[in-house]
Amino acid sequence: MRILGIDPGFATIGFGLVEAERGQTHMVTYGAITTPAGLPLSRRLYQIGTDMEDLIGQLKPEVISIEELFFNTNITTGIAVAHGRGVLLYAAEKCGIPLYEYTPSQVKLAVTGYGKAEKRQVMDMTRRLLKLKTVPRPDDAADALALALCHARSFTSRLPLVRNVPETI
C-alpha cells in the first residue's frame, strides 16, 4: 500500500510517501510544498491545490493520511492552516484518493508507543522505523512521514472481519 502522509499548512506543507506491505514499511520519498510569504492567501491556497494535485499524480498514492487540526495559542495562524488543510482535503477528494485523518496524539502513539511523546522522540522513531541515517528535513516532511507510518501501523493492524456463522433453519 502506498501511503502519502501530509502535514498541513499554508507556508510549508510536508509530504512523505511510504510503502507498507506485510508489516514492512519503507520510505519512498519526502519533501515539502512551499508558498512564498508575499503572496495573498488566496493565491497561496490556489498554489497549494495545484501543487498537491500534481504531487498526487506523480506519486500515485493509494491512500492519504493527514493530520487533524488542533489550535494552539496563535488563532490567526490556525485559521490560515485550516484554509490550507481544506484545500488539501479538496485535492485528495478531487483526485479520488481515500483520506484518513489522525490526531497528533494518535500519531505519537502509533510511532512511539506513547501518546504524549515529544516531537524529537517522534522524529527519531520515524527515522529508526524507516531505517534512515538522519531525521528527514524539513520538520514538516518528517511529520508527514510519521503520519504515513501512523496509517501503516494502524490500518494494516486491522484484521479482516471473517464471519463463519452457521445457517439456521
Side-chain angles (χ1 to χ4, degrees):
M1 173 184 297
R2 289 174 67 87
I3 306 164
L4 179 61
I6 301 291
D7 182 37
F10 70 98
T12 305
I13 298 92
F15 68 87
L17 183 70
V18 300
E19 287 189 354
E21 191 173 331
R22 296 187 181 133
Q24 299 294 314
T25 307
H26 74 274
M27 189 271 302
V28 177
T29 190
Y30 64 86
I33 293 171
T34 59
T35 61
L39 290 180
L41 181 60
S42 60
R43 179 68 190 143
R44 290 173 99 170
L45 295 174
Y46 177 80
Q47 183 179 337
I48 289 167
T50 56
D51 288 354
M52 182 54 57
E53 288 177 34
D54 290 347
L55 186 68
I56 290 170
Q58 290 171 18
L59 300 181
K60 301 187 182 347
E62 295 173 62
V63 299
I64 292 176
S65 173
I66 192 167
E67 187 175 53
E68 282 188 9
L69 262 191
F70 68 98
F71 284 93
N72 55 15
T73 55
N74 189 342
I75 193 81
T76 304
T77 301
I79 291 170
V81 171
H83 289 315
R85 186 174 181 278
V87 170
L88 296 166
L89 297 176
Y90 171 80
E93 188 66 28
K94 183 176 179 185
C95 294
I97 308 297
L99 187 76
Y100 296 86
E101 301 176 56
Y102 296 96
T103 65
S105 295
Q106 287 173 310
V107 175
K108 291 174 181 182
L109 183 62
V111 175
T112 70
Y114 179 56
K116 295 183 180 182
E118 294 178 20
K119 185 175 182 80
R120 64 175 178 75
Q121 293 171 304
V122 176
M123 293 176 121
D124 187 55
M125 279 306 295
T126 298
R127 178 191 64 78
R128 290 176 186 213
L129 290 168
L130 293 173
K131 298 176 179 69
L132 305 174
K133 292 181 182 181
T134 60
V135 172
R137 296 285 181 231
D139 288 356
D140 307 273
D143 291 344
L145 285 169
L147 278 151
L149 277 173
C150 175
H151 183 73
R153 301 184 110 209
S154 300
F155 192 76
T156 58
S157 69
R158 297 178 187 157
L159 296 175
L161 182 61
V162 178
R163 295 186 186 221
N164 239 350
V165 181
E167 276 188 42
T168 57
I169 301 177

